[in-house]
Amino acid sequence: MKHSKISISNLRKNLNDIIEELRSSPIAVYSSKKPVAYILSAKCYEALLERLDDVHLTELAKSRLQGKRVQVDLSTL
Protein backbone atom coordinates (compact mmCIF):
# COMPACT_ATOMS: atom_id res chain seq x y z
CA MET A 1 0.00 0.00 0.00
CA LYS A 2 1.37 3.39 -0.98
CA HIS A 3 1.69 5.98 1.76
CA SER A 4 2.84 9.58 2.15
CA LYS A 5 5.55 10.76 4.53
CA ILE A 6 5.55 13.69 6.94
CA SER A 7 7.74 14.87 9.81
CA ILE A 8 6.37 15.29 13.31
CA SER A 9 6.86 19.07 13.17
CA ASN A 10 4.90 19.33 9.91
CA LEU A 11 2.20 17.10 11.35
CA ARG A 12 1.65 19.56 14.18
CA LYS A 13 1.48 22.51 11.79
CA ASN A 14 -0.77 20.97 9.16
CA LEU A 15 -3.09 18.59 10.99
CA ASN A 16 -6.25 19.59 9.10
CA ASP A 17 -4.53 19.11 5.73
CA ILE A 18 -3.15 15.76 6.86
CA ILE A 19 -6.55 14.48 7.90
CA GLU A 20 -7.89 15.44 4.46
CA GLU A 21 -5.00 13.61 2.77
CA LEU A 22 -5.85 10.42 4.69
CA ARG A 23 -8.83 9.96 2.37
CA SER A 24 -6.44 8.80 -0.36
CA SER A 25 -3.67 6.98 1.52
CA PRO A 26 -2.10 6.31 4.94
CA ILE A 27 0.65 8.66 6.12
CA ALA A 28 3.97 7.66 7.68
CA VAL A 29 5.15 10.03 10.43
CA TYR A 30 8.93 10.40 10.54
CA SER A 31 11.29 11.59 13.25
CA SER A 32 15.03 11.77 12.59
CA LYS A 33 14.53 10.08 9.21
CA LYS A 34 12.88 7.03 10.80
CA PRO A 35 9.18 6.11 10.74
CA VAL A 36 7.68 6.41 14.22
CA ALA A 37 3.98 6.04 13.42
CA TYR A 38 1.45 5.49 10.68
CA ILE A 39 -1.83 7.38 10.48
CA LEU A 40 -4.78 5.68 8.80
CA SER A 41 -8.26 6.87 8.00
CA ALA A 42 -11.02 5.30 10.08
CA LYS A 43 -12.23 3.43 6.98
CA CYS A 44 -8.76 1.98 6.31
CA TYR A 45 -8.29 1.04 9.99
CA GLU A 46 -11.65 -0.75 10.11
CA ALA A 47 -10.84 -2.63 6.89
CA LEU A 48 -7.50 -3.67 8.40
CA LEU A 49 -9.21 -4.96 11.56
CA GLU A 50 -11.74 -6.86 9.43
CA ARG A 51 -8.93 -8.45 7.42
CA LEU A 52 -7.07 -9.47 10.58
CA ASP A 53 -10.26 -11.01 11.95
CA ASP A 54 -10.71 -12.96 8.69
CA VAL A 55 -7.13 -14.26 8.90
CA HIS A 56 -7.64 -15.29 12.53
CA LEU A 57 -10.88 -17.13 11.75
CA THR A 58 -9.29 -18.89 8.77
CA GLU A 59 -6.39 -20.08 10.93
CA LEU A 60 -8.82 -21.26 13.62
CA ALA A 61 -10.89 -23.21 11.09
CA LYS A 62 -7.76 -24.83 9.61
CA SER A 63 -6.51 -25.84 13.06
CA ARG A 64 -9.86 -27.41 13.89
CA LEU A 65 -9.76 -29.44 10.68
CA GLN A 66 -6.60 -31.10 12.04
CA GLY A 67 -8.29 -32.15 15.28
CA LYS A 68 -10.05 -35.35 16.26
CA ARG A 69 -13.23 -36.09 14.30
CA VAL A 70 -16.32 -37.66 15.76
CA GLN A 71 -18.94 -39.28 13.55
CA VAL A 72 -22.50 -38.32 14.49
CA ASP A 73 -25.77 -39.87 13.38
CA LEU A 74 -28.25 -37.02 13.06
CA SER A 75 -31.23 -39.34 13.60
CA THR A 76 -30.09 -39.98 17.19
CA LEU A 77 -30.00 -36.32 18.13
Side-chain angles (χ1 to χ4, degrees), residues 36-61:
V36 294
Y38 291 92
I39 304 173
L40 309 170
S41 68
K43 182 178 178 181
C44 185
Y45 179 73
E46 290 167 0
L48 179 63
L49 289 180
E50 190 71 31
R51 178 80 170 152
L52 287 172
D53 192 40
D54 290 347
V55 169
H56 171 72
L57 291 174
T58 300
E59 290 174 357
L60 181 61

Side-chain angles (χ1 to χ4, degrees), residues 5-16 18 28-34 36 39:
K5 296 183 345 182
I6 190 166
S7 68
I8 289 178
S9 58
N10 282 336
L11 177 64
R12 289 182 186 130
K13 293 176 192 173
N14 302 310
L15 188 55
N16 288 335
I18 300 306
V29 180
Y30 277 69
S31 177
S32 302
K33 298 183 181 183
K34 294 181 183 178
V36 294
I39 304 173

